[in-house]
Amino acid sequence: MEQIIANPAAKRALIVNLVQEANTRNYDGWDLNFEASPTQNGRVEFVEKLASELKAHGKKLSVTLKAVEAANEKYELFDIASLANLDDIYRFKIMGFDNNFAVGANIPNAIAATNWIEKVLDYMIYSQGLPANKIQLGLHNFSRMWKSLGNGKYQIDNINFRSYDFIAAQSLSSVLQWEEYGLNEFGQTVPSEEEWVDLTYKNFPYRAYVGGAKTVEKRLHFLQDYHLAGLTFWVLDNQEDPAIYDKITDYFNSYAN
């Protein structure tokens, strides 16, 4: 992608192809998800042009964004304030998870502490101007787990994500625990509000943090708190906690009333 964006002819060809494909397949539009880049150069301009040309054909562009804080924006793909000025983008989908890596990859920790989600939304909306009425907050319905090495040491699982069903299958005799508070990357105690469980897999002990129904329920309020356009959910292999949908339904029914 870096080479394409740096090459005017290749960039133009990609935009033309995306517009043509959306028309040919009668899509509503595209969701653009870039997650790795050594530079922000040319990213916003590419998105601006693609959004404009899709709109001219009656199509929409949404852009999926990693959750951004002030301290890490320079390492991310986009300058958020510049994106916020693009009127032709239909939706911004913020991936409100993966904060566990901030405390260290090999330290079991909440995948998306609620304290961290609040900081992300405050920064992206209030500091950088991303329009709240275009934002869908992404919540995790997957799990991550860490292998216990003994003496309080852990190593993150070599598979990046695990489904809820996978965790449940390994921990049938265990009950999901609830973490009200955890530690952030500065060693401070902050609200985390996420489920976790100790389990055995291939005869080794593991600890897993889980995006189950209670975890999701504790994050639904961000929709109203920040007047967002909606919520979206990252699900692995269609194996999420089925009770999530009852929580979502109850929330939206109460919200409508």
Side-chain angles (χ1 to χ4, degrees), residues 101-236:
F101 293 111
V103 300
N106 293 318
I107 301 174
N109 199 51
I111 298 169
T114 50
N115 171 263
W116 170 74
I117 294 175
E118 187 171 338
K119 286 170 57 181
V120 164
L121 292 174
D122 282 348
Y123 178 72
M124 297 181 78
I125 295 171
Y126 300 136
S127 295
Q128 300 305 99
L130 208 66
N133 63 356
K134 289 187 175 184
I135 292 174
Q136 288 177 272
L137 175 63
L139 302 179
H140 66 290
N141 294 168
F142 57 82
S143 305
R144 284 204 171 96
M145 66 183 197
W146 290 259
K147 182 180 180 180
S148 175
L149 305 177
N151 298 318
K153 302 292 185 180
Y154 288 85
Q155 182 177 22
I156 195 166
D157 185 29
N158 62 355
I159 295 178
N160 195 20
F161 307 103
R162 295 287 188 175
S163 71
Y164 176 87
D165 282 5
F166 175 87
I167 299 298
Q170 314 305 322
S171 55
L172 292 177
S173 61
S174 303
V175 177
L176 287 177
Q177 305 295 307
W178 181 250
E179 181 181 272
E180 190 73 22
Y181 295 93
L183 297 178
N184 65 13
E185 63 267 37
F186 306 109
Q188 299 166 327
T189 300
V190 297
S192 53
E193 299 181 293
E194 192 161 306
E195 294 158 287
W196 65 274
V197 66
D198 286 332
L199 55 94
T200 300
Y201 175 58
K202 292 186 176 180
N203 297 319
F204 285 100
Y206 283 80
R207 176 161 293 183
Y209 277 79
V210 183
K214 187 173 181 180
T215 297
V216 167
E217 181 182 29
K218 290 294 185 177
R219 287 148 179 76
L220 296 176
H221 68 89
F222 288 116
L223 174 64
Q224 288 178 276
D225 292 352
Y226 287 87
H227 306 288
L228 306 178
L231 302 166
T232 186
F233 301 88
W234 260 254
V235 178
L236 185 65

